[in-house]
Amino acid sequence: MEKYLTEGREIYFPAVICAEYDSPIDALVGLHVPQDEAMDLVTAAWADGCARCVLARVDGGRHVVAILLPNGHWAACNAFVGQACATPREAERRLKKLTKRGRQGTVGTIPVGRTIENAGS
């Protein structure tokens, strides 16, 4: 993923949807992020204006993300940041490989400078 840190202002990554929630905090808690950490991540994202996608790392190093959907709900997703791309089109192509057999997904986007900071735990 490091080569994408210098190519543009945002990186894009495939994310497989596990469930939908009414809030980003509920989505992160549903993915086993501790509630206090979920609240801190969402607060930080809103303060920075990056509230459409909140990335976290759960115990064991797995990345998860809460992504705002067009319908206003928040998708709780497994994030594949190891497959990060410089373009949304490439992330969509990679997502198609991950969403076979009826799985649903979306593309997450994170500003480059916030990627590492929002992936803590």
Side-chain angles (χ1 to χ4, degrees):
M1 182 171 73
E2 288 186 24
K3 71 178 183 176
Y4 298 107
L5 296 178
T6 58
E7 288 182 5
R9 301 189 62 185
E10 295 181 324
I11 61 167
Y12 303 89
F13 58 89
V16 175
I17 297 174
C18 299
E20 286 186 27
Y21 293 88
D22 291 328
S23 77
I25 294 171
D26 291 340
L28 291 171
V29 169
L31 293 163
H32 306 290
V33 174
Q35 185 170 1
D36 58 335
E37 183 177 339
M39 290 176 18
D40 289 346
L41 288 169
V42 170
T43 300
W46 281 349
D48 289 343
C50 305
R52 301 180 75 76
C53 185
V54 183
L55 183 65
R57 188 178 310 143
V58 294
D59 288 336
R62 180 174 57 96
H63 286 95
V64 296
V65 65
I67 298 175
L68 181 61
L69 298 172
N71 66 7
H73 291 142
W74 287 83
C77 307
N78 288 314
F80 292 87
V81 295
Q83 295 187 35
C85 310
T87 66
R89 175 176 278 168
E90 178 61 19
E92 277 285 341
R93 188 185 71 74
R94 292 178 185 194
L95 178 63
K96 286 180 183 178
K97 292 180 180 181
L98 295 169
T99 56
K100 293 181 180 178
R101 297 185 282 290
R103 297 169 79 183
Q104 292 186 325
T106 188
V107 171
T109 181
I110 296 285
V112 171
R114 297 296 302 163
T115 303
I116 303 304
E117 295 174 41
N118 281 353
S121 181

